[in-house]
C-alpha cells in the first residue's frame, strides 16, 4: 500500500476535467483518501515546486499554478505512485502514450492538466504540504 499526491492543475479545472481525472484513478484501483479545492498563491506554488527552483520553466510554472483553483488529492493503493504517473503519461503530452490523461487533454508541456508525485520521498513532502493527518481518511 502506497500514497501519492495528485493535483488537477488550473488548466484541468478550467477544462472541466476534475471528474474525469478522479474517475480514471478510481477505475484503476486507487482510492481518494483526501480531497480539496485550493487556490495557490505564488509563494505556495514556489514552495511546492521548490525542487525545480532555478530551472528555466520555474517562473512560468509557478505563475501558471497560481493562476486559478486546483484540486489536490491523496491517492492510496498498490504501487500508487507509479500507477498514477502511468495514467497521467509523460510530462510533454506529445510524448505521452495514447490513452493517458495528458495525451488526451493537455495543451503543452507546461499546461499538462495533472500532477503526480514522482517517488516516495516527494510523495511524503507533497502530501504534507497540503494535508494534515486529520484530513486523510483511509477506508
Ligand atoms: N514543466 C515545464 N517545462 C518543462 C518541464 C516541466 O513547464 O520543460 C512543468 C510541467 O507543468 C511539469 C512541471 O513543470 O508538470 C514539473 O516538471 P516535472 O519534470 O517534475 O514533470 P512531471 O513530474 O509533472 O511530469
Ligand atoms: Mg515531477
Amino acid at each position: 500500500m502506497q500514497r501519492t499526491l495528485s493535483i488537477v492543475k488550473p488548466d484541468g479545472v478550467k477544462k472541466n476535467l476534475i471528474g474525469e481525472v478522479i474517475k480514471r484513478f478510481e477505475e484503476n484501483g486507487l482510492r481518494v483518501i483526501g480531497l480539496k479545492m485550493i487556490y495557490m498563491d505564488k509563494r505556495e506554488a514556489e514552495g511546492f515546486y521548490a525542487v525545480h527552483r532555478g530551472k528555466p520553466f520555474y517562473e512560468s510554472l509557478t505563475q501558471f499554478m497560481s493562476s486559478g483553483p486546483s484540486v489536490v488529492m491523496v491517492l492510496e493503493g498498490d504501487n500508487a505512485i507509479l500507477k498514477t504517473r502511468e495514467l497521467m503519461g509523460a510530462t510533454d503530452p506529445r510524448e505521452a502514450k495514447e490513452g493517458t490523461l495528458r495525451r488526451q487533454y493537455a495543451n503543452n508541456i507546461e499546461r499538462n492538466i495533472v500532477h503526480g508525485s514522482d517517488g516516495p520521498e516527494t510523495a511524503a513532502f507533497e502530501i504534507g504540504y497540503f494535508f494534515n493527518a486529520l484530513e486523510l481518511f483511509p477506508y
Side-chain angles (χ1 to χ4, degrees), residues 11 30 59 62 68:
D11 58 332
L30 295 163
E59 181 56 29
T62 52

Side-chain angles (χ1 to χ4, degrees), residues 9 49 52 57 61 85 88 91 102 109-110 112 115-116:
K9 296 183 179 185
Y49 278 119
H52 292 305
F57 58 84
L61 170 64
R85 290 193 62 94
M88 285 162 38
T91 310
R102 283 167 165 174
I109 192 167
E110 178 181 87
N112 58 8
H115 167 86

Side-chain angles (χ1 to χ4, degrees), residues 33-51:
I33 65 161
L35 179 71
K36 59 184 157 190
M37 183 171 262
I38 61 166
Y39 195 143
M40 275 185 246
D41 64 24
K42 185 72 159 54
R43 188 188 55 85
E44 288 164 342
E46 286 171 2
F48 181 73
Y49 278 119
V51 61

